[in-house]
Amino acid sequence: RVAMSGIASANHSVLLVSNLNDEMVSPQSLFTLFGVYGDVQRVKILYNKKDSALVQMADVNQAQLAMSHLNGQKMYGKIIRVTLSKHQTVQLPREGLDDQGLTKDFTNSPLHRFKKPGSKNFQNIFPPSATLHLSNIPPSIIEEDLKTLFIKSGGKVRGFKFFQRDHKMALLQMCSVEEAIQALIDLHNYDLGENHHLRVSFSKSTI
C-alpha cells in the first residue's frame, strides 16, 4: 500500500469504473458489488458516457481494496476496469435537476457492511469467487428454496451445504465467478420472509 500512496493522496476514495454494460448497470448494482469491499457513499453513472461510473468509498483503504479485487472482473458480461479517479468527491445533482437516476447518495444506507468499528466483516473480505457465503437464513428455508433462488439469477448451482452447527449460514457454489458476482448483485439483502434479509459474500472456502 505504501507504494500506491505516491499517486493516492489521503482523499483518493473515488474510483472510476469503466467498460460497464450500459444497458444493465445501475447505481444500485455498483453499490452492492463495491459494497463487498467497503461502504459506498455515492455512485454516479456518467451522463455522457454511460459505460463509466464514479464510485465514492468511505476511505482510501476501501477504495484500494475494491480496486484490487474488482479490476478485471466480469459484470453483466463485460470485463470492468477500476482505477483511482482524480475526483475527490462525487457531486450530487443540483436541487430540482433530473439526472434520470444516474446519481445516488448511499451515505445513510442501512446496508453498509463496515459501519461498526471492528465488525467481523473486516475479517471476511475475499476476492470474487464462484463460492458464496450465505447468512441470515430463516429456519423455514430449505436447500431447494435457495438453489431455486440462485438459479433464477441466471446461473447454475454446482454445490450447496449448510453449516453443520448453524443453519442460518450456508455455502453455495455457482459455475463461474461471473455467475457468482451476478447472484451477489441480485440477491444480497433479498427478503426471505420472517424478517430475514439474505446476506451474500464471496467465500474463500470450496464445497
Side-chain angles (χ1 to χ4, degrees):
R1 287 200 185 164
V2 178
M4 293 298 288
S5 62
I7 54 164
S9 74
N11 296 331
H12 270 281
S13 57
V14 179
L15 298 167
L16 174 65
V17 189
S18 52
N19 202 39
L20 292 161
N21 181 332
D22 57 1
E23 289 175 12
M24 302 284 289
V25 76
S26 66
Q28 187 64 47
S29 61
L30 289 166
F31 168 77
T32 304
L33 180 58
F34 280 74
V36 173
Y37 299 107
D39 292 339
V40 176
Q41 304 300 303
R42 292 175 178 175
V43 177
K44 180 194 279 291
I45 293 173
L46 303 185
Y47 187 80
N48 295 323
K49 202 173 182 316
K50 293 198 172 67
D51 67 347
S52 299
L54 295 172
V55 177
Q56 183 177 339
M57 307 297 288
D59 62 44
V60 65
N61 287 339
Q62 293 181 2
Q64 298 276 8
L65 208 53
M67 182 169 70
S68 66
H69 285 317
L70 294 175
N71 182 42
Q73 295 291 345
K74 257 190 178 177
M75 180 182 185
Y76 297 124
K78 297 191 76 171
I79 293 173
I80 62 170
R81 190 149 182 268
V82 185
T83 55
L84 286 174
S85 165
K86 60 182 187 301
H87 293 277
Q88 300 204 344
T89 181
V90 169
Q91 296 293 330
L92 293 175
R94 286 195 304 281
E95 276 298 316
L97 191 75
D98 174 25
D99 82 336
Q100 301 169 6
L102 295 174
T103 309
K104 209 152 185 265
D105 186 4
F106 294 100
T107 312
N108 298 315
S109 171
L111 297 181
H112 285 153
R113 296 179 188 236
F114 304 101
K115 261 206 309 256
K116 293 192 191 102
S119 158
K120 272 214 311 273
N121 292 335
F122 283 108
Q123 294 143 38
N124 293 314
I125 297 175
F126 303 112
S129 54
T131 305
L132 296 167
H133 177 275
L134 315 182
S135 60
N136 208 26
I137 302 165
S140 62
I141 294 282
I142 59 169
E143 179 175 329
E144 285 315 308
D145 298 330
L146 289 163
K147 281 184 174 170
T148 304
L149 191 59
F150 277 77
I151 290 164
K152 277 188 191 150
S153 78
K156 291 195 178 80
V157 174
R158 280 181 66 174
F160 181 92
K161 78 167 195 228
F162 275 112
F163 277 56
Q164 258 177 332
R165 271 174 297 192
D166 186 356
H167 263 230
K168 292 199 289 287
M169 296 197 285
L171 292 176
L172 182 141
Q173 188 178 349
M174 303 298 285
C175 279
S176 67
V177 175
E178 185 184 358
E179 285 183 7
I181 286 174
Q182 186 59 52
L184 182 141
I185 289 169
D186 289 349
L187 296 171
H188 178 61
N189 202 44
Y190 183 87
D191 188 351
L192 291 171
E194 301 170 54
N195 213 8
H196 283 67
H197 285 79
L198 182 65
R199 295 184 64 82
V200 184
S201 313
F202 298 115
S203 173
K204 68 176 191 305
S205 310
T206 49
I207 298 175

